[in-house]
Amino acid sequence: MKIVDSPKPTIQKDDDVILKVVRACVCGSDLWNFRGINKVEPNSENSGHEALGIVEEVGDAITTVKPGDFVIAPFTHGCGHCAACLAGFDGVCQDHSNNFSTGTQAEYIRFQHGQWALVKVPGQPSDYSEGMLKSLLTLADVMATARVANVQPGDTVVVMGDGAVGLSAIIAAKLRGASRIISTSRHEDRHQLAVEFGATDNVASRGDDAVKEIMDLTNGSGADAVLECVGTEQSTETAMKVARPGAAVGRVGLPHMPAMDMTQSFYNNTTIAGGPASVTTYDKQILLKAVLDGKINPGKVFTKTFTLDQINDAYQEMADRKVIKSYVKVSD
């Protein structure tokens, strides 16, 4: 990873918004490219898809934000009026050919389809502590991922994965009323944060051993809901095996497997959900208020701060598991 000088983006369509980036970060999904698992051409695209920004300029069709507004820039770009958005699935908006952000690890970005998708934050960045800015930044992606398993009050929930998405899923499960939350961390710093966020038990094993331990913890019944926050074959397989009959498995980890055997889910009546998070919908309905009211503090997943010039270190330290999620301070 390296920083290059590029022209400042400009308005190209009437629903574009140019943002001055204030804070950005590195996502676990970004590491697939960094590690060479996804093959990309060098310098073919800028990285990143999560940002807080100040509106710099707006296209002619934009009426919901104006220059100077402080906004969360979700990684998904919903229109707010198609059937998918109206049903609360703006992560797969039907009205736009380009639904996902790229290039937010930069000083300025062109945010497409900004009329509905951008989430206004009261005031200015200077009105908030750095801790609060971190929590607001999680609302661009990771904190909005964990609703798909439809956790209900009193549920026993298993969260596969201990990265920022998995830790955010623990917060979300507790917010939705889960009575027992089983984390799956193998790293002490992440385990401690999982406990702080609401985990009641932890299983560090993997594969068949993990399945046995989780089933023992649930008296052989399995979990009411499982959040699969990794995307690997082993994690997905474990999630399916520890879900009780009739349970929901929410797949929010970016899948990296060629196929999935659905036979077990058929015989167990398992509901399988998942896909790109409906960030704007969840932020506007629940999450922004929860953060502003101090009800949740997901910004603790950011365990080290970098400048834009240190972006390679931000990636490397996440890849080496020295950092849970890298926080990038771009400008004031």
Side-chain angles (χ1 to χ4, degrees):
M1 302 292 296
K2 65 178 181 179
I3 297 294
V4 298
D5 288 325
S6 298
K8 182 180 176 181
T10 59
I11 298 290
Q12 297 180 30
K13 296 184 177 180
D14 62 3
D15 62 349
D16 284 349
V17 177
I18 304 301
L19 299 178
K20 178 183 179 182
V21 177
V22 177
R23 300 290 186 272
C25 57
V26 179
C27 181
S29 62
D30 295 333
L31 296 181
W32 293 104
N33 294 353
F34 184 76
R35 291 172 170 145
I37 298 171
N38 288 346
K39 300 299 181 183
V40 294
E41 292 297 321
N43 302 319
S44 61
E45 63 179 40
N46 196 355
S47 298
H49 52 263
E50 305 151 274
L52 298 177
I54 300 295
V55 175
E56 183 93 352
E57 187 180 356
V58 300
D60 291 341
I62 301 295
T63 62
T64 53
V65 295
K66 64 184 185 303
D69 283 347
F70 178 32
V71 295
I72 299 164
F75 85 98
T76 51
H77 298 225
C79 68
H81 56 72
C82 71
C85 287
L86 291 173
F89 293 93
D90 56 89
V92 285
C93 174
Q94 296 169 294
D95 234 23
H96 298 147
S97 59
N98 182 3
N99 287 343
F100 303 103
S101 288
T102 58
T104 59
Q105 294 160 8
E107 293 179 308
Y108 293 90
I109 59 172
R110 171 185 166 229
F111 190 95
Q112 301 179 61
H113 319 306
Q115 173 71 0
W116 182 80
L118 289 169
V119 179
K120 283 181 64 172
V121 181
Q124 292 293 303
S126 58
D127 298 327
Y128 298 95
S129 68
E130 205 64 52
M132 181 64 82
L133 291 176
K134 290 177 179 178
S135 286
L136 291 169
L137 182 56
T138 68
L139 304 192
D141 183 357
V142 292
M143 191 54 233
T145 59
R147 192 174 177 179
V148 294
N150 196 29
V151 174
Q152 298 297 311
D155 276 356
T156 291
V157 178
V158 172
V159 176
M160 303 299 304
D162 65 353
V165 174
L167 291 166
S168 296
I170 292 170
I171 296 174
K174 184 176 181 181
L175 188 65
R176 291 178 65 87
S179 62
R180 191 175 192 185
I181 303 171
I182 302 171
S183 60
T184 54
S185 181
R186 292 187 292 182
H187 303 86
E188 186 56 29
D189 58 337
R190 297 168 188 236
H191 176 215
Q192 291 303 318
L193 197 51
V195 171
E196 182 178 343
F197 285 165
T200 56
D201 305 89
N202 186 70
V203 171
S205 303
R206 293 295 182 265
D208 290 341
D209 290 340
V211 173
K212 183 180 184 306
E213 288 184 41
I214 291 170
M215 294 305 290
D216 287 346
L217 282 171
T218 59
N219 297 317
S221 297
D224 301 303
V226 185
L227 285 156
E228 195 290 299
C229 304
V230 183
T232 63
E233 186 172 4
Q234 183 185 70
S235 179
T236 303
E237 183 178 280
T238 302
M240 298 295 289
K241 287 181 177 179
V242 301
R244 64 156 171 78
V249 175
R251 302 177 65 211
V252 297
L254 184 64
H256 279 74
M257 65 194 78
M260 181 176 173
D261 184 356
M262 303 297 288
T263 307
Q264 180 183 358
S265 66
F266 174 82
Y267 286 110
N268 281 350
N269 276 291
T270 305
T271 298
I272 301 173
S278 299
V279 177
T280 302
T281 292
Y282 298 164
D283 284 0
K284 290 181 176 180
Q285 290 183 353
I286 299 170
L287 296 178
L288 179 57
K289 186 176 188 304
V291 166
L292 293 177
D293 290 349
K295 192 172 183 179
I296 59 173
N297 187 11
K300 290 187 177 183
V301 299
F302 293 110
T303 53
K304 190 169 181 179
T305 299
F306 301 84
T307 64
L308 198 56
D309 289 337
Q310 298 169 319
I311 194 65
N312 193 70
D313 293 335
Y315 273 74
Q316 191 63 60
E317 294 201 26
M318 270 187 72
D320 293 341
R321 293 190 178 272
K322 295 178 180 178
V323 173
I324 297 176
K325 189 170 176 68
S326 294
Y327 182 69
V328 183
K329 189 173 182 179
V330 180
S331 65
D332 290 320

